[in-house]
Amino acid sequence: MKLSRSQMVLYGLWGLLGVSALLAIYERTWSLLFISVVTFLLTLGPRVVERWADIRIPPSFVAAIGLFVLGTIFLGEVFDFYNRFWWWDVVMHFGSAIGFGLIGFVIVLMMFKGDVYAAPPSLIAMFAFTFAVSIGAIWEIFEYAMDQTFGTNMQKSGLVDTMNDLIVDCCGAFLGALSGYLYLRQERAGGFASVIHEFIEENPKFFPKRVKRIAEEKAAKAQALRGLGECAKEP
């Protein structure tokens, strides 16, 4: 069976975590072993959600989640990327906001069974944006609570760090929501919108009206092409 690129990325990530765990055992670095195991378990989260909600998550999205978990917990904490590279936190927040924007878009589209006439693309995009920004705000509250309760330094520079994170979250959420909006308006599945298209194809039972419309459009295009072919054959 041929593996897709996203599956190769995910398996490569698991292999890296496995090597890290073995090295941690050899060197008796138990903190690294713990983080390696936790990171691996978190990458299995999408599979747990699939069974619980009876849905199929596209491999590309599973791979993206795996890379995000690797970047935040493994590279960010173990290798101290947050302090070594000032832009690492920006990348993580921006990427997660895009992801949550796409998730919010899919959730609303699923609620309306893929019927864009019941919920206009602009309204769905607005919800997706607010959904992603809300997740970002909850995370900032969590960082503040951790710093105040356990004396950690998750907020780094305090208010400045929080506001920068929220601004980046808004930018990422806007891009994710815009990708979904353009997908519905222009019927194109390029870029980030390809995740939405893959999710619909993997879970047609949740988007019956959307799937029906896509099938009708394909049939109309095929009929138009047949008509052009018949015209070309005429003397």
Side-chain angles (χ1 to χ4, degrees), residues 100-111:
F100 281 118
L102 295 174
I103 291 173
F105 205 94
V106 169
I107 289 175
V108 179
L109 199 59
M110 187 185 300
M111 291 171 58

Side-chain angles (χ1 to χ4, degrees), residues 136-146:
I138 291 173
W139 176 258
E140 294 303 319
I141 294 174
F142 169 75
E143 287 188 346
Y144 173 79
M146 291 294 291

Side-chain angles (χ1 to χ4, degrees), residues 45-127:
R47 299 306 180 195
V48 176
V49 173
E50 281 186 327
R51 292 190 176 186
W52 174 74
D54 191 25
I55 62 175
R56 289 183 57 83
I57 301 177
S60 58
F61 198 75
V62 175
I65 293 174
L67 289 174
F68 175 74
V69 172
L70 179 74
T72 53
I73 298 179
F74 193 76
L75 297 179
E77 299 298 335
V78 175
F79 293 95
D80 200 27
F81 272 33
Y82 286 117
N83 291 321
R84 293 174 61 185
F85 306 105
W86 65 268
W87 45 266
W88 191 253
D89 189 48
V90 175
V91 172
M92 293 295 100
H93 273 274
F94 189 70
S96 63
I98 293 175
F100 281 118
L102 295 174
I103 291 173
F105 205 94
V106 169
I107 289 175
V108 179
L109 199 59
M110 187 185 300
M111 291 171 58
F112 289 95
K113 299 182 179 181
D115 187 359
V116 295
Y117 296 106
S122 58
L123 183 63
I124 300 177
M126 183 181 298
F127 175 86

Side-chain angles (χ1 to χ4, degrees), residues 139-208:
W139 176 258
E140 294 303 319
I141 294 174
F142 169 75
E143 287 188 346
Y144 173 79
M146 291 294 291
D147 289 350
Q148 295 298 314
T149 305
F150 300 105
T152 57
N153 188 29
M154 297 184 69
Q155 288 184 296
K156 302 300 185 294
S157 56
L159 179 61
V160 174
D161 178 79
T162 298
M163 293 308 301
N164 287 337
D165 289 346
L166 289 176
I167 291 172
V168 172
D169 288 340
C170 287
C171 294
F174 177 79
L175 182 57
L178 179 63
S179 298
Y181 173 81
L182 294 177
Y183 167 67
L184 292 183
R185 293 288 295 182
Q186 300 180 3
E187 304 295 335
R188 294 179 182 177
F192 297 115
S194 60
V195 176
I196 299 176
H197 186 71
E198 287 180 36
F199 193 91
I200 293 175
E201 289 189 330
E202 292 284 345
N203 302 274
K205 64 181 180 181
F206 293 111
F207 308 93

